[in-house]
Amino acid sequence: MTTESSGCPMHGSGRPASIVHEEKAQLDFSRDMSYGDYLQLDQILTAQKPLSPAHDEMLFIVQHQTSELWMKLMLHELRAAIAALASPQADTRPEAFKMLARVSRIMEQLVNAWTVLSTMTPPEYTAMRPYLANSSGFQSYQYRSIEFSLGNKNAAMLQPHAHRSDLLEQVQAAYQAPSLYDVALQLLAREGLEVPADRLQRDWTQPYEASEGVKQAWLTVYRNPQQHWDLYQLGEKLADIEDAFRLWRFRHLTTVERVIGFKRGTGGTGGVSYLKKMLDVVLFPEIWSLRTEL
């Protein structure tokens, strides 16, 4: 067999090598920043340190580490969107809508990640589970910050982070701040909609409770979307986020049930039973209930 017919990428027909030279691609990075340098791949790709001899622990670690990276981006977008919606300047709203759309797309990535983890069978997980000790996704400070930013406030969820003052500070900030929905309702009021005063100024650490007055305000928006176009878009962006969040939670539930059945979680929760309760949490209740009356 000749070199040319072997399909060798650099020596076969000579075309790949010639294309590289024709494009004048930089090949020497002894003095310049490379792709790996910029992304700090040495640190990222050496952060996977399995504790067990089980082959599948690498899948478990990578899935959760990449999910945390996506959650980091989600928080970045959520915080910026909340700030943009809270601004009295109307020209910040398109930026906020773009960020909220990105949050929904990030959640789609997180949903798909469970599909990869679901290839782990019960015996494969059992082989590595003892090495996890009490560590659990339940303890993710980024996930908790996301939940708090979306309005699912619960003081007990601060406790898993009490041993780290730096992490507790971040989670507590999200816990004490107005949620995305709180800021959305303040925007409705600034645009002249009648939002009950007790929903505009309240204890932000408490979970939001549905209000008939808030539903009527949103109905005004949805019955005349052209007149309230920005608010109409905001309502649909909120619906997109909660829709995606429900799918994320549901896929988590089905993956856990597929892999461990109804065993208790490593973090001490009931596992599937706890996740089922989380499916009943509604973040933006009036956005959903108004549809029945349209």
Side-chain angles (χ1 to χ4, degrees):
M1 181 181 293
T2 66
T3 303
E4 183 171 350
S5 62
S6 68
C8 175
M10 295 305 294
H11 301 290
S13 65
R15 287 185 56 78
S18 65
I19 289 172
V20 169
H21 290 299
E22 288 170 8
E23 294 294 324
K24 296 181 171 43
Q26 182 169 339
L27 302 176
D28 182 2
F29 291 93
S30 57
R31 296 183 179 181
D32 292 317
M33 180 176 67
S34 70
Y35 171 82
D37 296 333
Y38 173 70
L39 294 177
Q40 300 189 52
L41 292 183
D42 287 345
Q43 294 91 322
I44 293 174
L45 298 180
T46 55
Q48 297 73 47
K49 303 183 188 301
L51 300 178
S52 76
H55 169 82
D56 296 278
E57 190 179 356
M58 183 62 77
L59 161 62
F60 191 84
I61 292 172
V62 169
Q63 193 270 344
H64 286 83
Q65 286 183 341
T66 52
S67 292
E68 289 290 335
L69 283 171
W70 281 121
M71 284 190 275
K72 181 174 183 175
L73 178 58
M74 192 191 304
L75 278 169
H76 177 70
E77 301 296 338
L78 266 177
R79 289 166 180 156
I82 289 172
L85 291 175
S87 170
Q89 304 299 320
D91 60 2
T92 63
R93 293 176 198 172
E95 296 176 23
F97 299 157
K98 176 64 179 293
M99 294 164 187
L100 294 178
R102 187 172 290 164
V103 168
S104 298
R105 297 298 176 268
I106 293 167
M107 287 183 185
E108 290 176 7
Q109 294 297 317
L110 290 162
V111 170
N112 291 332
W114 290 118
T115 303
V116 182
L117 191 63
S118 68
T119 63
M120 179 181 286
T121 64
E124 290 166 350
Y125 179 69
T126 300
M128 55 158 283
R129 181 171 179 165
Y131 295 85
L132 299 178
N134 293 320
S135 62
S136 165
F138 178 79
Q139 300 144 16
S140 167
Y141 74 91
Q142 291 199 122
Y143 178 78
R144 197 59 56 199
S145 295
I146 289 168
E147 285 239 332
F148 287 170
S149 296
L150 293 178
N152 188 22
K153 306 287 184 80
N154 183 344
M157 295 297 97
L158 295 169
Q159 296 176 18
H161 315 290
H163 67 292
R164 286 274 305 273
S165 60
D166 56 334
L167 302 185
L168 179 61
E169 183 179 358
Q170 292 184 52
V171 180
Q172 203 155 29
Y175 175 67
Q176 294 173 343
S179 70
L180 172 63
Y181 198 51
D182 291 322
V183 171
L185 297 185
Q186 291 173 348
L187 176 55
L188 261 66
R190 291 202 306 274
E191 288 295 297
L193 278 297
E194 293 186 13
V195 179
D198 62 356
R199 293 302 186 274
L200 297 174
Q201 293 296 330
R202 64 186 191 88
D203 182 352
W204 306 126
T205 66
Q206 297 303 304
Y208 177 82
E209 294 183 3
S211 160
E212 179 63 26
V214 170
K215 183 171 74 171
Q216 291 304 317
W218 278 116
L219 277 168
T220 299
V221 171
Y222 273 74
R223 284 173 174 152
N224 195 347
Q226 296 302 324
Q227 181 180 343
H228 305 286
W229 185 250
D230 280 359
L231 301 180
Y232 179 67
Q233 287 190 86
L234 175 59
E236 286 303 283
K237 290 292 184 290
L238 294 174
D240 288 343
I241 286 175
E242 183 150 12
D243 199 352
F245 198 40
R246 289 177 179 181
L247 289 173
W248 183 17
R249 282 174 165 166
F250 179 74
R251 199 67 186 92
H252 186 185
L253 164 67
T254 57
T255 302
V256 169
E257 185 173 357
R258 176 172 178 160
V259 176
I260 71 169
F262 290 89
K263 297 185 183 73
R264 295 192 69 81
T266 51
T269 70
V272 167
S273 63
Y274 170 77
L275 295 173
K276 282 184 176 179
K277 291 175 184 175
M278 292 300 98
L279 291 179
D280 294 331
V281 175
V282 180
L283 300 171
F284 317 129
E286 296 88 357
I287 294 293
W288 298 95
S289 62
L290 70 84
R291 283 155 162 76
T292 306
E293 300 187 31
L294 286 175

